[in-house]
Amino acid sequence: MTFFGLQWALPTVLLLLPLALLPWFTHNQDKTVAWSHFVPADPISNVIGLSLKILASLVVASLIFTLAGPHVPEKKVERVGKGAEVVILVDRSRSMDDPFSTRGKALAVNRTVGKGDSKRRIAKKYLLEFVDKRPDNRFGFVLFSDKALDLLPLTYNKKSVVATINASALGKGLSETNIAKAMIKAAEMYSKEDYHGSRTVLLVSDGGQEFSEEDKQKITELYKVENLRLYWIYMRSTTGLSIEEESEDDSWKNTPEKKLHKFFKELAIPYRVFEIESVKSFSEAIDTIDEQQDQTLIVEEIVPRENKTEPFFWLALITMLALVFAQFYTAWGVRKAHD
Amino acid sequence: MSENKNRQDEFSYRYPHKVYGSLPGVHHGKSLGTGDSFAGFSDLFDYPDPRRLDLRASIRDNMATGNDNYLVKRYQQRSPITLWMMADLSRSMAISNVNHEQLANLTQLVAHSAIGLGDRFALAGFDSGLRHDVYMMPTRQRSMPIIAADMIRDAEVAPAAGVDGLIHAANMITSKHAIVFLASDFCCDLDTVDKALRQLSRYTVVPIVWKHDDVNHLPSHAGWTEMCDSETGERRSIWMRPSIKKRWKQTMDDHFEQLTNCFMRHRVRPLFTDGDVTGEQLTDYFLGRK
């Protein structure tokens, strides 16, 4: 039931509201005086008396209101924000546990699980930053190795996004990589949703893979239908050649990364690759995406149920304090009169 | 006093004026008859009472006038008066320290003393009107004091507020010579008191002013005070604070000062009391009056 723009959990309790009139009828404080003619007329007293009664009524009323459980129910609010819907695909393969390549440190000598500079950690750090910068974005999260796990469906809930990203950086990687499955998963996540605005798939991986024809066809189709946009953050582990670079070297030409890049380019969707060699380039890539993905977006927010009892409690408390003070003062006065 | 607990308290009083009446009593009278105050001589022929024959006065008179008369002494006869008890039975007389029990005790005291002395006692209760259930014609029956006291004890609560019955009760007093005890708390309009005193001006009035406890006048010294008037039940509420207290006390003192002035105007001395009235108190009152 709705009264005063609030929902009431127990509206029947409001039937007790007439009790708030009780202070106007009680005379339990009455003292008999021989002749009230002696009592001086005092307008201030009338005002005080009136306000005391009003305060007492207020206490009763606000306590009843509290009992009735006022709240603003959970509701969805649509507002126009800026940004995009982003599904983050993070490679969970073991190679992501390798130290992130920097110039001068060519190869991973040891696996640094649990150390701060593994690729996964770096990715985590910058993804968090990315998420942080974009309050209105809707994020989904897919972790993949040989299977794609849609850890988090598209959501506005920043906390869960952050928690998911944090969690994704825990533990050891798995052996296999199956990018195709992850990409299909991401597209499927979008297909369940209404179109709100710019849709982005952010693939974070350190390697490529050659897709089967079937997968290729499916991805081509899905990405087109869902009107997606693809960013690939390619974390190079070696200071090898760039994906873009054309090389005569056959071995490089046939690397899965190269083939994947080629396939992505052939998709008829906006696509960009960021080759990450250093922490700096990672952050630059993130910034670039950030800049590009600033389109108007209809953001749907769920405002949780909000209890509105507190103001009533405060009102009752403060009023009651005033009344208690008056009562104590009165009791003192009566005692003095009887001394 | 303790050994006299079962004995009815008494007080002695004097009527300040001379009483005219044929019945014998204790107060100085105007009528001639058997008495102790000499009122002159008369001819034995007119008043043939040889016991009162005054030979010495007769001889002197005969020698002076040449007549041959015998003179007898005449005396003024002592006569009784009536003691009227006007009892205020209004509602304000029934709160805490001022109550009907004390009023009944006073009534019994007055009645006992009056009848004991050979005077008559009469009772007129009043509140907003004359109380017919608390009314007694002048009487000298010995059983009356207790009956009168019980009348007051058993009196029902006043049906309405006010002491307008005071005037009616004053009208009921028809005795020629009377001391009127007016027992009330006098928490009422002074005009009524003034009017009643004017009506009672031919009598000796003894106002017994019952003072209420301070608490009954000033129930609280600070804070929120809700009061109801003992008479009307009218509710008054006030936020007590020093200034109000001062004003309140001022009003109260003014009232009683005006009351005293009113008594003074009528040459009446009030007896203030805040509890039981004892015979001693009343005796002192009458002695002080002499």
Side-chain angles (χ1 to χ4, degrees):
Chain A
M1 267 179 118
T2 315
F3 295 115
F4 316 118
L6 292 172
Q7 286 271 333
W8 302 87
L10 291 168
T12 38
V13 176
L14 292 180
L15 292 178
L16 295 175
L17 267 182
L19 288 180
L21 293 178
L22 274 183
W24 300 84
F25 295 108
T26 50
H27 291 290
N28 57 342
Q29 300 272 307
D30 262 6
K31 294 163 190 73
T32 307
V33 288
W35 202 24
S36 64
H37 174 80
F38 295 143
V39 183
D42 183 29
I44 298 173
S45 288
N46 296 341
V47 173
I48 292 175
L50 201 66
S51 45
L52 280 178
K53 290 221 190 278
I54 289 172
L55 287 184
S57 289
L58 208 60
V59 170
V60 177
S62 48
L63 287 178
I64 290 170
F65 279 136
T66 314
L67 282 179
H71 62 270
V72 175
E74 180 182 288
K75 60 183 171 189
K76 286 184 177 172
V77 178
E78 276 194 354
R79 62 186 175 88
V80 176
K82 283 218 156 174
E85 294 183 313
V86 182
V87 171
I88 302 167
L89 301 173
V90 175
D91 189 353
R92 193 69 173 88
S93 66
R94 195 165 293 161
S95 58
M96 285 292 277
D97 291 336
D98 290 341
F100 188 49
S101 77
T102 45
R103 284 187 201 286
K105 259 199 231 169
L107 275 169
V109 181
N110 54 342
R111 309 236 145 166
T112 55
V113 177
K115 292 275 168 63
D117 55 351
S118 76
K119 281 187 256 182
R120 252 179 330 119
R121 306 249 157 174
I122 302 291
K124 175 198 116 177
K125 188 184 160 205
Y126 286 98
L127 285 175
L128 282 179
E129 206 171 274
F130 180 62
V131 169
D132 234 26
K133 272 188 203 160
R134 306 175 71 83
D136 290 342
N137 275 20
R138 205 160 166 228
F139 289 99
F141 199 89
V142 176
L143 207 58
F144 67 92
S145 56
D146 64 329
K147 284 213 171 72
L149 307 166
D150 50 341
L151 286 183
L152 190 68
L154 281 164
T155 178
Y156 288 109
N157 193 327
K158 199 83 170 277
K159 273 188 188 166
S160 49
V161 174
V162 170
T164 313
I165 292 172
N166 277 328
S168 74
L170 293 174
K172 279 188 179 176
L174 304 168
S175 54
E176 299 293 322
T177 308
N178 192 341
I179 298 177
K181 249 187 185 173
M183 290 191 63
I184 293 167
K185 196 86 175 177
E188 276 169 354
M189 275 166 83
Y190 278 122
S191 65
K192 283 182 233 159
E193 304 282 334
D194 295 334
Y195 187 83
H196 289 290
S198 163
R199 294 175 151 187
T200 307
V201 173
L202 182 63
L203 174 65
V204 180
S205 86
D206 64 341
Q209 189 186 20
E210 191 162 7
F211 296 170
S212 64
E213 279 305 314
E214 198 186 329
D215 284 341
K216 275 187 183 172
Q217 204 187 333
K218 202 170 180 188
I219 290 170
T220 317
E221 218 170 88
L222 268 173
Y223 275 58
K224 190 140 195 197
V225 168
E226 297 300 335
N227 193 10
L228 301 182
R229 188 185 279 265
L230 181 64
Y231 292 99
W232 182 18
I233 295 181
Y234 171 51
M235 303 178 89
R236 274 199 295 189
S237 40
T238 56
T239 50
L241 294 165
S242 159
I243 284 177
E244 299 278 8
E245 236 171 279
E246 291 299 329
S247 170
E248 296 308 307
D249 188 349
D250 226 22
S251 63
W252 175 237
K253 201 172 183 180
N254 287 329
T255 49
E257 289 89 348
K258 198 79 179 149
K259 281 181 179 165
L260 190 61
H261 180 54
K262 209 174 152 214
F263 166 65
F264 284 160
K265 276 209 280 192
E266 280 162 9
L267 288 170
I269 54 165
Y271 161 69
R272 205 171 153 184
V273 67
F274 298 94
E275 285 176 272
I276 309 297
E277 293 172 319
S278 62
V279 172
K280 203 179 161 215
S281 58
F282 200 127
S283 85
E284 276 166 10
I286 290 290
D287 286 346
T288 316
I289 297 170
D290 194 27
E291 276 161 29
Q292 288 189 353
Q293 293 305 314
D294 238 7
Q295 297 180 12
T296 312
L297 184 74
I298 298 166
V299 182
E300 204 170 71
E301 245 180 322
I302 293 174
V303 181
R305 174 190 160 128
E306 205 181 341
N307 251 340
K308 291 286 187 188
T309 46
E310 201 166 317
F312 289 110
F313 268 130
W314 275 108
L315 186 66
L317 177 72
I318 291 165
T319 325
M320 206 112 79
L321 276 179
L323 288 179
V324 163
F325 168 74
Q327 203 67 25
F328 270 111
Y329 186 56
T330 304
W332 174 75
V334 171
R335 210 170 136 188
K336 211 176 152 196
H338 280 83
D339 276 345
Chain B
M1 295 292 269
S2 57
E3 70 267 20
N4 290 341
K5 227 169 194 176
N6 293 323
R7 232 181 91 183
Q8 175 62 49
D9 197 10
E10 278 182 341
F11 67 94
S12 51
Y13 58 94
R14 281 283 171 274
Y15 188 63
H17 312 290
K18 292 206 166 181
V19 185
Y20 181 82
S22 52
L23 285 166
V26 291
H27 302 284
H28 290 293
K30 279 190 208 158
S31 54
L32 300 174
T34 47
D36 51 6
S37 57
F38 178 66
F41 297 103
S42 190
D43 201 277
L44 178 65
F45 189 79
D46 296 333
Y47 293 93
D49 184 359
R51 289 175 302 172
R52 306 269 182 258
L53 200 61
D54 189 337
L55 289 175
R56 193 168 166 273
S58 301
I59 290 165
R60 194 170 62 190
D61 186 61
N62 289 342
M63 285 172 74
T65 57
N67 290 346
D68 193 14
N69 287 339
Y70 285 98
L71 296 179
V72 287
K73 282 180 180 164
R74 298 299 316 272
Y75 291 93
Q76 280 180 336
Q77 179 189 287
R78 282 181 173 265
S79 286
I81 56 166
T82 310
L83 265 59
W84 276 84
M85 180 74 196
M86 285 174 77
D88 182 359
L89 295 172
S90 66
R91 290 176 191 167
S92 64
M93 286 293 283
I95 56 167
S96 65
N97 74 318
V98 176
N99 51 44
H100 286 178
E101 182 62 34
Q102 290 171 346
L103 193 59
N105 288 344
L106 173 70
T107 306
Q108 193 168 349
L109 171 64
V110 171
H112 177 83
S113 305
I115 292 170
L117 210 61
D119 287 332
R120 286 187 292 183
F121 170 78
L123 173 69
F126 65 91
D127 44 51
S128 56
L130 183 68
R131 286 290 290 260
H132 292 283
D133 56 333
V134 187
Y135 180 77
M136 208 177 251
M137 290 291 284
T139 178
R140 49 170 49 141
Q141 278 186 38
R142 295 252 163 207
S143 58
M144 281 308 160
I146 288 171
I147 292 173
D150 284 345
M151 264 182 180
I152 288 175
R153 277 192 196 103
D154 301 340
E156 279 171 26
V157 181
V163 286
D164 296 336
L166 177 57
I167 308 293
H168 296 278
N171 281 333
M172 297 305 290
I173 299 174
T174 49
S175 315
K176 272 196 184 123
H177 304 281
I179 297 177
V180 179
F181 291 85
L182 180 51
S184 173
D185 57 355
F186 291 97
C187 282
C188 60
D189 196 7
L190 285 180
D191 286 347
T192 317
V193 178
D194 193 58
K195 204 171 162 191
L197 285 177
R198 213 172 298 141
Q199 272 180 337
L200 294 171
S201 56
R202 31 189 303 242
Y203 305 111
T204 302
V205 180
V206 182
I208 293 170
V209 183
W210 247 293
K211 284 166 92 173
H212 290 283
D213 274 350
D214 280 350
V215 174
N216 291 334
H217 279 312
L218 253 169
S220 170
H221 282 209
W224 183 243
T225 316
E226 287 179 2
M227 291 153 292
C228 76
D229 188 278
S230 58
E231 291 272 354
T232 58
E234 180 202 354
R235 292 213 151 76
R236 291 287 300 270
S237 302
I238 208 159
W239 181 259
M240 276 303 280
R241 49 191 192 276
S243 65
I244 291 289
K245 191 177 150 192
K246 210 170 149 190
R247 271 169 66 193
W248 193 330
K249 276 207 156 145
Q250 190 61 48
T251 322
M252 223 164 83
D253 293 345
D254 284 353
H255 174 78
F256 285 106
E257 203 184 305
Q258 278 169 25
L259 180 70
T260 312
N261 288 343
C262 175
F263 288 143
M264 294 298 280
R265 268 204 308 282
H266 290 276
R267 300 284 180 270
V268 164
R269 193 164 57 100
L271 172 67
F272 287 97
T273 178
D274 54 1
D276 262 318
V277 182
T278 59
E280 203 178 337
Q281 258 177 301
L282 279 171
T283 305
D284 287 346
Y285 175 88
F286 280 104
L287 286 175
R289 198 181 176 84
K290 259 184 183 173

